[in-house]
């Protein structure tokens, strides 16, 4: 079976979020099960500057009055072939997203992906698309390529990693795209890439079973819930995994000291000590909260605002948080740091080594998300024996087993309603278990580390789906 995975970012080449991790890890798991899988993505300036890929040929795509060059490059990473779409005009820029012409840029990309197949001679059985940036592909495939045998037989799978970002652009984008107009493009007066993909793909997936149910509701669907409802029987929730080789406390070179489930108590202690020291904190015996996140509304930082003073003033907890994003959250973190210099530290930005040290060195990992399609941080945390404290939504609900004080069951702490007070209560609960019930806490650490978050199971679910579509 041949599968082409198409996305706007993929680790290790280009990463802004969890999507890149999925694109970096899923292919390896598919390959291990005998799939001929390749990846295709834009050749951003940041990738091109490294000069790691080989030129394979070119094609053209018409946009408006111009005929645009499409260069195709190839690189191999951990045995997986990556194709890159080169265009100075659209991708020769410092960033990946956030430009005024993003609609045009990714429409171009969607046309280019289909042309690139001819250049490299790889026509997949399954074209696996991800998020809005790839959303026009099933539509173009159906309308512009229906007369070509190699294209005709391709089945499309569209994966939603976050339904909040839909790629909606003014209808006049149509004026420069060479394709016929049908209603599936339009949503509330705009061209909506994600809606188009939901209607036109052979199957739709999202990244956890709970998020699948959530996006079918008004509360989480960002208006597309009823469109998804139309495809209910072709819509699946398949949980992401994490790269358990990269995220492995036994071998991770970025953390202070390696450890396994066997020596987790001393191993984590050594990491915590070094982490506290690096950030200028003390309190090896006090519970240490960590957070690694993009600082956007989705992540529930709002909930911390009204309650964190109380947690700091009425408990012995310390905090080391890392992230960047909305300036209101960055400033909130900075102000806490100056208010509580001995209790609270923030690293504004993103650094892989520091992220790993936080995963390894903290006791409790905060993720109070408003919504969370899957979430990777909570799984990474558990792998390092750090107990996640999460809101029961999306993939967080599917991966974290709540602490049960009667049975000792659990791999973390959870709360249900998006209410500051509920977060506060569960933070005090976690602090209390840490301080006063060390055995229960340790038992949970082991339970968390024993969980299997590898891609194996999910890869089989995708292969199952692919097979059903091909038949
Ligand atoms: C997005 C979602 C996150 C998910 C990731 C990978 O970043 O916000 O929850 O884990 O995509 O699917």
């Amino acid at each position: 079976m041949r599968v082409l995975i198409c996305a706007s970012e993929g680790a290790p080449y280009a990463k802004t979020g969890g999507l890149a991790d999925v694109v970096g890890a899923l292919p390896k798991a598919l390959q291990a099960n005998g799939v001929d899988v390749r990846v295709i993505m834009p050749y951003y300036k940041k990738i091109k500057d490294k000069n790691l890929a080989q030129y394979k040929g070119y094609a053209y795509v018409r946009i408006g009055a111009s005929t645009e060059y499409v260069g195709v490059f190839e690189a191999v990473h951990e045995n997986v072939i990556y194709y890159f779409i080169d265009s100075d005009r659209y991708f020769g820029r410092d960033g990946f997203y956030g430009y005024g012409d993003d609609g045009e840029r990714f429409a171009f990309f969607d046309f280019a992906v289909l042309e690139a197949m001819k250049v490299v001679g790889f026509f997949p059985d399954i074209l696996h698309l991800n998020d809005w940036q790839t959303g026009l592909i099933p539509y173009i495939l159906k309308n512009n390529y229906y007369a070509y045998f190699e294209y005709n037989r391709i089945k499309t799978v569209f994966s939603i990693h976050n339904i909040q970002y839909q790629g909606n652009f003014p209808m006049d984008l149509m004026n420069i795209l060479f394709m016929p107009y049908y209603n599936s493009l339009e949503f509330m007066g705009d061209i909506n890439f994600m809606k188009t993909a939901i209607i036109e793909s052979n199957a739709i997936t999202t990244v956890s079973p709970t998020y699948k149910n959530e996006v079918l509701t008004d509360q989480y669907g960002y208006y597309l819930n009823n469109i998804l409802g139309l495809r209910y029987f072709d819509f699946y929730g398949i949980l992401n995994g994490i790269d358990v080789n990269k995220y492995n406390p036994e071998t991770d070179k970025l953390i202070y000291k390696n450890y396994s489930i066997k020596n987790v108590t001393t191993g984590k202690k050594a990491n915590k000590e070094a982490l506290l020291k690096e950030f200028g904190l003390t309190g090896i015996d006090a519970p240490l909260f960590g957070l690694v996140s993009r600082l956007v509304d989705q992540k529930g930082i709002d909930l911390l605002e009204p309650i964190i003073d109380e947690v700091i003033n009425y408990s012995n907890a310390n905090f080391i948080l890392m992230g960047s994003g909305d300036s209101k959250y960055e400033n909130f973190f900075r102000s806490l740091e100056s208010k509580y210099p001995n209790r609270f530290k923030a690293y504004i930005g993103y650094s892989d080594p520091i992220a790993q040290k936080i995963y390894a060195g903290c006791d409790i990992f905060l993720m109070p998300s408003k919504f969370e399609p899957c979430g990777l941080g909570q799984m990474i945390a558990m792998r390092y024996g750090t107990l996640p404290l999460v809101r029961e939504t999306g993939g967080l609900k599917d991966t974290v087993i709540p602490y049960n004080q009667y049975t000792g069951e659990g791999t973390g702490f959870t709360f249900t309603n998006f209410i500051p007070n509920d977060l506060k209560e569960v933070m005090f609960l976690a602090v209390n278990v840490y301080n006063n019930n060390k055995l229960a806490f340790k038992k949970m650490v082991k339970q968390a580390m024993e969980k299997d978050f590898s891609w194996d199971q999910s890869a089989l679910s995708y292969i199952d789906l692919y097979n059903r579509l091909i038949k």
Side-chain angles (χ1 to χ4, degrees):
M1 180 182 357
R2 283 162 302 177
V3 176
L4 184 60
I5 295 184
C6 180
S8 59
E9 56 182 87
Y13 297 106
K15 171 170 167 173
T16 68
L19 169 62
D21 292 308
V22 172
V23 173
L26 173 61
K28 287 187 272 179
L30 293 171
Q31 207 174 51
N33 287 286
V35 177
D36 179 359
V37 55
R38 308 185 188 185
V39 178
I40 188 162
M41 59 190 278
Y43 205 26
Y44 298 112
K45 181 168 183 298
K46 185 180 158 253
I47 311 174
K48 193 173 179 177
D49 284 348
K50 293 202 179 109
N51 232 328
L52 292 165
Q54 256 189 347
Y55 175 72
K56 297 306 267 184
Y58 69 93
Y60 290 113
V61 161
R62 289 172 66 202
I63 297 280
S66 77
T67 301
E68 288 295 326
Y69 159 85
V70 178
V72 185
F73 285 71
E74 180 187 311
V76 180
H77 178 73
E78 295 182 356
N79 266 324
V80 178
I81 296 179
Y82 285 76
Y83 297 120
F84 298 104
I85 299 293
D86 183 32
S87 162
D88 271 344
R89 172 164 174 199
Y90 292 118
F91 300 127
R93 312 178 189 189
D94 291 329
F96 307 157
Y97 320 116
Y99 297 99
D101 60 348
D102 277 359
E104 180 177 338
R105 293 170 70 224
F106 288 101
F108 162 82
F109 176 67
D110 290 359
F111 280 97
V113 164
L114 292 163
E115 282 301 305
M117 290 180 191
K118 275 187 249 176
V119 174
V120 299
F122 185 76
F123 293 95
D125 303 298
I126 298 286
L127 186 50
H128 187 158
L129 311 166
N130 295 277
D131 274 352
W132 74 262
Q133 292 88 351
T134 62
L136 295 185
I137 292 178
Y139 183 93
I140 302 167
L141 183 63
K142 193 189 255 179
N143 291 305
N144 294 21
Y145 289 84
Y146 65 90
Y148 301 91
F149 166 75
E150 303 92 323
Y151 286 97
N152 223 326
R153 38 178 295 291
I154 298 174
K155 300 286 188 237
T156 49
V157 174
F158 181 72
S159 292
I160 298 171
H161 296 262
N162 190 336
I163 206 164
Q164 190 182 17
Y165 305 108
Q166 303 180 355
N168 41 307
F169 302 98
M171 199 42 89
D172 58 16
L173 180 58
M174 258 326 268
N175 299 340
I176 56 168
L177 303 182
F178 284 80
M179 57 190 194
Y181 176 83
Y182 295 104
N183 283 340
S184 59
L185 286 172
E186 186 270 347
F187 193 61
M188 305 203 300
D190 284 340
I191 289 196
N192 183 311
F193 282 45
M194 188 168 274
K195 183 238 178 177
T196 308
I198 291 169
I199 298 289
E200 301 288 353
S201 301
N202 294 106
I204 303 110
T205 71
T206 189
V207 289
S208 70
T210 294
Y211 191 60
K212 182 209 148 178
N213 293 330
E214 287 173 345
V215 289
L216 288 162
T217 67
D218 287 346
Q219 191 190 344
Y220 290 94
Y222 285 89
Y223 303 105
L224 286 181
N225 42 308
N226 290 333
I227 303 293
L228 276 167
L230 298 174
R231 301 300 312 276
Y232 186 79
F233 295 105
D234 304 306
F235 184 33
Y236 305 86
I238 301 177
L239 195 67
N240 288 333
I242 55 170
D243 186 334
V244 289
N245 296 320
K246 178 175 175 209
Y247 299 116
N248 182 353
E250 289 184 61
T251 52
D252 186 342
K253 292 201 177 60
L254 299 176
I255 65 177
Y256 303 100
K257 188 175 190 301
N258 291 120
Y259 58 94
S260 71
I261 192 164
K262 293 201 192 81
N263 62 353
V264 53
T265 308
T266 54
K268 276 192 74 69
K269 194 167 180 190
N271 278 284
K272 182 174 174 182
E273 203 158 22
L275 179 67
L276 287 169
K277 191 162 169 230
E278 185 160 340
F279 277 86
L281 291 178
T282 56
I284 187 71
D285 293 322
L288 178 60
F289 282 91
L291 174 145
V292 176
S293 181
R294 285 178 297 123
L295 301 181
V296 293
D297 286 341
Q298 176 193 343
K299 300 298 177 179
I301 313 292
D302 300 358
L303 289 186
L304 275 174
E305 234 165 316
I307 58 141
I308 189 138
D309 291 285
E310 193 175 334
V311 175
I312 292 179
N313 290 323
Y314 291 92
S315 84
N316 58 344
N318 294 312
F319 292 82
I320 297 181
L321 315 188
M322 177 173 101
S324 66
D326 288 358
S327 52
K328 66 171 173 186
Y329 300 125
E330 295 185 355
N331 293 336
F332 167 55
F333 283 179
R334 285 199 188 96
S335 72
L336 284 169
E337 194 172 48
S338 52
K339 200 161 162 196
Y340 304 106
N342 305 319
R343 307 284 299 281
F344 187 102
K345 296 288 172 182
Y347 179 101
I348 305 298
Y350 184 85
S351 142
D352 253 338
I354 293 179
Q356 292 313 103
K357 287 169 179 167
I358 291 178
Y359 285 120
C362 290
D363 300 302
I364 303 151
F365 188 82
L366 279 175
M367 233 168 144
S369 306
K370 189 177 198 172
F371 67 91
E372 197 61 75
C374 177
L376 304 172
Q378 82 281 12
M379 291 191 268
I380 301 171
M382 285 185 271
R383 180 132 173 91
Y384 285 78
T386 300
L387 301 182
L389 189 162
V390 306
R391 191 169 94 79
E392 288 179 19
T393 184
L396 297 173
K397 184 167 181 190
D398 293 332
T399 53
V400 180
I401 304 169
Y403 170 58
N404 179 324
Q405 63 179 122
Y406 304 105
T407 63
E409 237 186 332
T411 61
F413 301 92
T414 72
F415 66 107
T416 311
N417 296 317
F418 195 73
I419 298 174
N421 199 58
D422 291 16
L423 170 62
K424 186 184 80 186
E425 304 261 292
V426 75
M427 286 175 82
F428 276 117
L429 170 68
V431 165
N432 189 31
V433 177
Y434 179 90
N435 286 331
N436 304 320
N437 199 347
K438 295 208 161 37
L439 276 180
F441 199 94
K442 269 185 199 162
K443 190 165 163 239
M444 272 203 282
V445 167
K446 295 215 160 140
Q447 283 159 187
M449 289 181 87
E450 273 162 2
K451 284 268 155 202
D452 176 10
F453 294 117
S454 73
W455 271 99
D456 301 349
Q457 210 44 52
S458 315
L460 294 180
S461 304
Y462 280 113
I463 291 172
D464 233 43
L465 172 62
Y466 299 158
N467 276 324
R468 262 177 285 151
L469 294 177
I470 293 169
K471 257 175 224 147

